Amino acid sequence: MLTRTRSLRYSLLLCATLLLSGCAAVTVSSISPADYLQQRRGDILTTGKLSASANEVLRIIGSDIAACEANAGSCRADLARSELLSDEQRLATLSELWLESALTEEKQGTKNNADVLAAWLESARYAYAYLFYTARSPGERAFEERQTQIRDYYNYAVQKAVGNLFHHRGEYRPDGKVIRVAGWDIDSELSALRLPHDGTLPEELLPATSLKFSGLRNVYRRDGFGADLVAVMPKPGQSSGVEVPYQETRFPVVTALIRFEGKTLTEVLATQQLMIVLADPYRNASISMAGRELPVAANFTAGYGLWLARSGFGVQALRTLFGRAEGIARPQVHLMQPYDPNKRTIVMLHGLASSPEAWINVANELMGDEQLRRRYQIWQVYYPSNAPLAANNLAIRQALDATLAHFDPSARANASNEMVLIGHSMGGVLSRLMVSNASTTLLDAITEEYNLKGKKAEKVRAGLAPYLEFGAMPQVNRAIFIAAPHRGTSFANHKVARWIANLITLPITMLDQFSDAVGSLAQLDTGSSEPLRIPNSIDNLSDKDPFVRLVADLPISPQVRYYSIMGNDTPDVPLQASSDGVVPYASAHLDGAQSEKVIPSWHSVQESPQAILEIRRILRLAD
């Protein structure tokens, strides 16, 4: 009996031990790197669920996610008055909860836009208060995940609030400059948009984060404070009846920020007044906010990519080449960013049958280079590539002169001096003409060739002088020639090229520009029954073309430093006999160049990474 009793006691003790070990209060396990990151960085924006930090705070006040979502108003009130929390915990969690509320209302299609706007503004307000009005400064929290999350809440809430105000601006009644909506008095500072004098507003205001581009190798951003946006401005009208040859970008990038009134935490949390500020990230790397100088967030690719995507340049360039309707008859200067008098100007000229699309990655990579972006602005010349070189040389000069005169009448700004020309293929030949001195060399050659004398010589020279008598543009001090057939190319003599040349027709509007030149050519005795005709662009690219042969040895201005970049698509032959498949090395080579870079590539060498690196190297050189 005693043995049986002991056995029973032993069994009960063993069972109790097993039960106690099976009900351990704490267990431990390993987590994956993905779970680690989600645990530390996952939040309402990245996972659609409240962050671990917010969960922790809710548990501190005796609540949880389910209870808080069931009665968001009471939950936020409990957070606001709890004495168990630090200001940082309270403000960060309130910002995230308001963000969750705004996302939910937007997803559910809440009809009252003012309610959604109010939620975005509250999220931005609490994020703003957390960042600038708690005991610790942003610098003291620099390495904390939570501060990065709160900055993102602010940026995203600002993006959505500004977008809401823009899209529903007709529903909100302004009181003078101030808009009164959702209990807020909203003022704005929009000078960075460079609005037209008539006060025309953008047609669209797009978050840069919503745009995804193909065809661009990189998207260049700058992390910082604010929401990066693209403003889509209306196409410029011609109400004056005067066609101008320049156009500032219709797709400026801007950064939106919201400044809440108040100098203390209590004032910021109580205010119903705010200021929306739009900053130009090209001009403002930082902005003063809450007594601190803060980096301005930016996306330098979005506006450029949107411009190219909506341009229709590809089809238009071909229409232009063959003289069809909806092509262009005169050069157009496109500014890639709002004009900045303090930055030097890079002018890009594309080649035959091309457009600004020739520079897709070149321009993007240059704008993405912080050092170059601080020093330069880019202008792209879009010209009718079916016109003869002499005509385009004159017309492009006139377009650039008109652009400079409009933006800088005194010609004293950095933008008007020490300009850089970058030209590819035929654009490289044009760039060379623009830095060359012809004086009377070409006119004298024609006078001698056709034995012109007296009044006939005077008449012919007067008609051709605008096209054949020119000097180097004084504003330019550097030029980069890329795959440029300075001495022409035999490729233009091939059957296919000649067939295309025969299809090229100059439109009437363009021929009207050359009326004096046409009359002069008609005076020349060629010994043939047919008078000389205006050559087209393919004619001019031939190594047998008289114009190209005449200008090949024109002296380049001594004030201009020039550089050559060319492709080599024939690696098995000596360099002197090589070619990029279109332009022979012997034609692209120029004596006196500061440097010459030969890259394994076909004719479109300008888009190769090696060429872009070389362009960046040249532009970084000290003057």
Side-chain angles (χ1 to χ4, degrees):
M1 184 67 180
L2 183 60
T3 302
R4 185 177 298 176
T5 301
R6 287 179 177 175
S7 178
L8 181 59
R9 288 178 179 174
Y10 177 78
S11 298
L12 290 172
L13 181 61
L14 179 61
C15 289
T17 302
L18 291 172
L19 285 171
L20 287 173
S21 63
C23 296
V26 177
T27 60
V28 64
S29 62
S30 299
I31 62 172
S32 68
D35 289 336
Y36 165 80
L37 289 175
Q38 181 170 326
Q39 185 183 82
R40 294 180 64 85
R41 301 178 188 174
D43 62 3
I44 192 64
L45 282 180
T46 60
T47 67
K49 299 178 180 179
L50 292 175
S51 64
S53 297
N55 275 298
E56 175 185 296
V57 168
L58 291 177
R59 287 192 292 269
I60 290 174
I61 66 170
S63 184
D64 57 30
I65 293 177
C68 193
E69 291 178 344
N71 196 335
S74 295
C75 180
R76 290 193 292 261
D78 290 342
L79 279 168
R81 61 173 171 260
S82 175
E83 297 181 357
L84 300 175
L85 304 174
S86 68
D87 285 340
E88 288 185 9
Q89 290 175 311
R90 178 184 299 105
L91 298 171
T93 305
L94 283 168
S95 179
E96 188 170 3
L97 288 174
W98 274 111
L99 193 66
E100 180 188 42
S101 177
L103 289 167
T104 300
E105 290 190 33
E106 189 175 71
K107 185 176 181 180
Q108 293 174 348
T110 301
K111 294 183 179 180
N112 191 336
N113 296 312
D115 288 346
V116 181
L117 173 62
W120 292 124
L121 291 176
E122 290 296 348
S123 178
R125 181 220 294 267
Y126 283 107
Y128 183 85
Y130 165 91
L131 290 168
F132 306 120
Y133 291 96
T134 52
R136 291 195 298 165
S137 69
E140 293 176 288
R141 296 186 299 247
F143 296 105
E144 295 183 12
E145 303 281 3
R146 193 54 168 160
Q147 175 159 281
T148 301
Q149 290 175 328
I150 305 306
R151 182 208 63 186
D152 289 344
Y153 298 166
Y154 173 88
N155 289 352
Y156 190 74
V158 169
Q159 172 189 302
K160 300 298 286 188
V162 172
N164 181 295
L165 282 166
F166 178 81
H167 290 297
H168 300 284
R169 58 192 180 279
E171 303 171 23
Y172 304 144
R173 295 184 179 180
D175 181 3
K177 185 183 174 185
V178 177
I179 295 175
R180 300 184 185 278
V181 59
W184 288 89
D185 292 341
I186 302 174
D187 202 350
S188 59
E189 172 52 61
L190 308 179
S191 59
L193 259 184
R194 304 284 297 277
L195 294 173
H197 295 302
D198 60 5
T200 302
L201 291 174
E203 295 178 334
E204 301 175 76
L205 197 60
L206 304 175
T209 53
S210 70
L211 303 174
K212 182 179 181 180
F213 301 102
S214 60
L216 288 166
R217 284 200 286 268
N218 294 306
V219 173
Y220 286 100
R221 298 181 60 258
R222 180 173 63 211
D223 285 336
F225 205 55
D228 36 291
L229 308 168
V230 180
V232 181
M233 304 302 296
K235 290 184 178 180
Q238 299 295 338
S239 56
S240 65
V242 179
E243 183 178 358
V244 295
Y246 49 82
Q247 182 177 304
E248 281 193 277
T249 177
R250 285 186 53 230
F251 303 90
V253 292
V254 293
T255 303
L257 305 102
I258 292 180
R259 180 185 293 117
F260 294 88
E261 289 297 318
K263 296 182 179 179
T264 66
L265 177 59
T266 301
E267 291 175 353
V268 169
L269 294 183
T271 189
Q272 292 301 124
Q273 296 181 327
L274 62 84
M275 171 77 76
I276 294 176
V277 179
L278 293 187
D280 180 350
Y282 278 102
R283 294 194 182 194
N284 304 113
S286 63
I287 193 168
S288 179
M289 184 76 69
R292 293 175 174 83
E293 199 68 19
L294 304 172
V296 173
N299 187 316
F300 298 104
T301 296
Y304 176 61
L306 193 60
W307 174 63
L308 288 172
R310 295 189 178 184
S311 67
F313 284 139
V315 173
Q316 190 180 47
L318 290 176
R319 288 183 175 277
T320 298
L321 180 66
F322 296 113
R324 301 295 186 262
E326 299 181 17
I328 62 170
R330 296 178 183 274
Q332 302 168 357
V333 180
H334 291 273
L335 281 64
M336 297 292 96
Q337 65 182 81
Y339 172 78
D340 189 334
N342 299 315
K343 293 182 180 179
R344 293 172 56 185
T345 304
I346 296 171
V347 178
M348 295 181 171
L349 291 94
H350 60 78
L352 177 69
S354 191
S355 71
E357 288 184 340
W359 305 108
I360 287 177
N361 285 296
V362 182
N364 186 47
E365 295 298 316
L366 297 188
M367 289 188 289
D369 185 317
E370 178 67 28
Q371 180 177 331
L372 298 182
R373 190 169 59 242
R374 288 198 302 265
R375 294 179 61 191
Y376 296 100
Q377 59 194 325
I378 296 176
W379 297 1
Q380 294 202 24
V381 177
Y382 181 29
Y383 65 92
S385 65
N386 55 347
L389 288 172
N392 268 326
N393 177 40
L394 174 61
I396 292 171
R397 288 166 178 261
Q398 291 174 336
L400 288 172
D401 285 343
T403 305
L404 291 168
H406 171 76
F407 289 106
D408 181 27
S410 67
R412 295 178 181 176
N414 290 339
S416 301
N417 298 281
E418 299 182 337
M419 298 170 67
V420 182
L421 297 182
I422 304 179
H424 171 249
S425 192
M426 187 165 73
V429 178
L430 287 166
S431 297
R432 183 182 180 280
L433 293 178
M434 292 163 64
V435 296
S436 299
N437 292 304
S439 186
T440 62
T441 301
L442 305 181
L443 289 174
D444 291 344
I446 288 178
T447 302
E448 182 179 348
E449 174 73 17
Y450 293 98
N451 194 28
L452 299 174
K453 297 180 180 179
K455 290 185 177 181
K456 187 174 184 179
E458 292 177 7
K459 186 174 182 179
V460 170
R461 291 174 73 100
L464 296 179
Y467 304 96
L468 302 182
E469 190 174 5
F470 53 84
M473 287 188 66
Q475 301 94 336
V476 178
N477 77 337
R478 278 196 284 180
I480 304 174
F481 309 123
I482 306 176
H486 300 295
R487 295 175 180 79
T489 170
S490 61
F491 189 86
N493 304 323
H494 292 178
K495 288 183 178 180
V496 174
R498 297 316 313 156
W499 177 73
I500 293 175
N502 291 331
L503 294 177
I504 293 177
T505 303
L506 301 182
I508 298 298
T509 53
M510 190 178 292
L511 289 174
D512 288 344
Q513 302 172 38
F514 311 148
S515 56
D516 290 342
V518 172
S520 296
L521 291 175
Q523 300 289 316
L524 300 179
D525 183 7
T526 64
S528 170
S529 58
E530 296 184 3
L532 287 176
R533 66 175 179 84
I534 298 247
N536 61 43
S537 52
I538 293 184
D539 295 329
N540 275 164
L541 292 180
S542 168
D543 54 7
K544 298 179 180 179
D545 181 70
F547 179 80
V548 166
R549 296 175 70 174
L550 278 172
V551 301
D553 295 318
L554 288 178
I556 294 176
S557 168
Q559 79 171 27
V560 176
R561 288 174 294 159
Y562 55 96
Y563 310 79
S564 295
I565 300 174
M566 58 269 282
N568 184 355
D569 198 41
T570 55
D572 297 330
V573 302
L575 180 62
Q576 295 295 327
S578 68
S579 164
D580 64 12
V582 175
V583 176
Y585 168 85
S587 182
H589 169 80
L590 285 177
D591 292 334
Q594 298 289 307
S595 65
E596 179 178 274
K597 182 78 170 180
V598 181
I599 296 167
S601 171
W602 193 67
H603 183 58
S604 296
V605 63
Q606 83 282 5
E607 281 283 283
S608 70
Q610 300 97 315
I612 294 173
L613 284 173
E614 177 67 0
I615 295 170
R616 290 171 65 181
R617 181 193 70 81
I618 293 168
L619 293 175
R620 283 169 173 260
L621 294 174
D623 295 323

